[in-house]
């Protein structure tokens, strides 16, 4: 019998792998403020916010090393290229250091690779020119493997900083009951993106990552950054498991198929 797969981690390493998500459309200003305070206290990599929340994020996170990440064309990627560029420029101008931009999924599915490439190029150039980094969200629930691979190749050619699995809001109608759900980040998709992207392009996994096991499986599969709204619960779980500042070897669980949800 093969030895169980393991991963060696520390609590600060886990925290600095997380983009704390504050993206649910029903979040109030007070909830966003509390979420930003939590991101600061937990010392995560970034707080991921909607564009209008960038100024308050800048104020709350001013004396910390937590980055501000703003979403663009979120969640459906349907804005024009010019609108996405302007949205990204405004967010970076207000203090965002990272931009998570959703591709035009319909153009990708329709095979209009010229449009998809030009759009990613335009947003990436605008972001990089202002000293920030771009993460390109694919929305894998809606795509086939061939689309994911092609997008990874395009992002690699354009030297994009990250490719990202999902928004967490890419709901697909289930044939069995007619309800809508999303799988979000899956181990096979993370592995496919890691294998298809250039070495300098990192992978962000987001959507449905709610537990420490989910996070560790995503990291082991090749994700360098994790988008999650359950950040506090995940880190509390890590502490309860004895993970601290000293590296600890953790046995990974077998991947469990996800049934849907948002991050």
């Amino acid at each position: 019998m093969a030895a169980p797969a393991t991963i060696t981690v520390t609590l600060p390493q886990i925290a600095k792998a997380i983009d704390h998500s504050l993206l649910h459309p029903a979040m109030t200003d007070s909830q966003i403020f509390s979420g930003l305070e939590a991101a600061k206290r937990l010392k995560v990599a970034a707080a991921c916010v909607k564009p209008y929340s960038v100024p308050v994020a800048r104020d709350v996170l001013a004396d910390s090393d937590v980055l501000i990440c703003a979403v663009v064309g979120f969640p459906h990627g349907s804005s024009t290229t010019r609108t996405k560029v302007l949205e990204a420029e405004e967010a970076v101008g207000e203090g965002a250091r990272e931009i998570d931009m959703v591709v035009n999924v319909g153009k990708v599915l329709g095979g209009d690779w010229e449009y998809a490439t030009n759009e990613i190029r335009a947003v990436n150039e605008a972001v990089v020119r202002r000293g920030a980094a771009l993460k390109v969200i694919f929305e894998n629930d809606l795509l086939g493997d061939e689309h994911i691979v092609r997008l990874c190749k395009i992002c690699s050619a354009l030297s994009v900083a990250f490719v990202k699995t999902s928004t967490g809001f890419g709901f697909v109608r289930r044939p069995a009951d007619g309800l809508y759900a999303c799988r979000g980040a899956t181990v096979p998709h993370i592995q496919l993106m890691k294998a298809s992207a250039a070495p300098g392009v990192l992978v962000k996994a987001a959507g449905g990552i709610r537990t420490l096991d989910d996070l560790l499986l995503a990291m082991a599969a090749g994700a360098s950054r994790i988008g999650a709204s359950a950040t506090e619960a995940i880190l509390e779980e890590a502490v309860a498991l004895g993970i601290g500042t000293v590296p600890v070897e953790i046995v990974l669980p077998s991947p469990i198929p996800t049934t849907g949800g948002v991050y």
Side-chain angles (χ1 to χ4, degrees):
M1 174 183 281
T6 63
I7 186 171
T8 300
V9 291
T10 65
L11 191 64
Q13 177 189 356
I14 293 172
K16 280 303 179 191
I18 296 175
D19 284 357
H20 185 49
S21 170
L22 301 169
L23 298 173
H24 195 283
M27 290 191 81
T28 63
D29 288 350
S30 63
Q31 289 172 322
I32 291 168
F33 183 85
S34 296
L36 290 167
E37 290 283 7
K40 181 178 178 179
R41 172 171 46 83
L42 297 170
K43 300 180 180 179
V44 297
C48 198
V49 298
K50 291 167 281 190
Y52 75 86
S53 296
V54 172
V56 68
R58 182 188 62 222
D59 293 341
V60 174
L61 301 174
D63 57 348
S64 76
D65 65 350
V66 177
L67 301 175
I68 300 170
C69 171
V71 291
V72 163
F74 195 89
H76 301 305
S78 303
S79 305
T80 65
T81 298
R82 177 168 172 75
T83 299
K84 289 180 180 179
V85 168
L86 291 173
E87 195 173 19
E89 288 176 340
E90 182 178 7
V92 174
E94 291 286 351
R97 302 271 43 92
E98 296 181 344
I99 296 294
D100 284 19
M101 186 270 292
V102 188
V103 298
N104 187 312
V105 178
K107 289 290 189 180
V108 170
L109 289 172
D112 193 343
W113 296 110
E114 182 179 5
Y115 183 100
T117 300
N118 288 339
E119 178 174 83
I120 295 169
R121 178 188 292 111
V123 177
N124 190 51
E125 288 179 351
V127 168
V128 170
R129 187 162 57 244
R130 288 163 176 78
L134 178 66
K135 307 189 199 92
V136 176
I137 308 174
F138 293 2
E139 204 65 283
N140 288 346
D141 275 85
L142 304 177
L143 305 178
D145 285 359
E146 67 277 14
H147 304 111
I148 294 170
V149 171
R150 184 71 176 267
L151 282 171
C152 283
K153 300 302 183 187
I154 291 170
C155 290
S156 296
L158 296 174
S159 298
V160 167
F162 283 83
V163 290
K164 178 178 171 182
T165 60
S166 329
T167 63
F169 299 91
F171 296 102
V172 177
R173 191 170 185 269
R174 299 189 304 207
D177 54 17
L179 297 177
Y180 285 82
C182 66
R183 292 177 301 166
T186 68
V187 167
H189 279 158
I190 296 167
Q191 291 172 330
L192 179 63
M193 294 170 78
K194 183 66 175 176
S196 303
V201 178
L202 304 179
V203 177
K204 176 176 174 179
I209 298 178
R210 303 183 190 86
T211 68
L212 180 62
D213 281 351
D214 293 336
L215 180 143
L216 294 178
L217 283 169
M219 289 177 65
S224 298
R225 196 77 68 84
I226 307 294
S229 58
T231 305
E232 292 195 68
I234 289 170
L235 294 177
E236 286 171 3
E237 208 180 333
V239 171
L241 205 59
I243 301 174
T245 57
V246 177
V248 177
E249 186 177 34
I250 304 295
V251 176
L252 293 170
S254 299
I256 300 172
T258 54
T259 55
V262 300
Y263 78 81

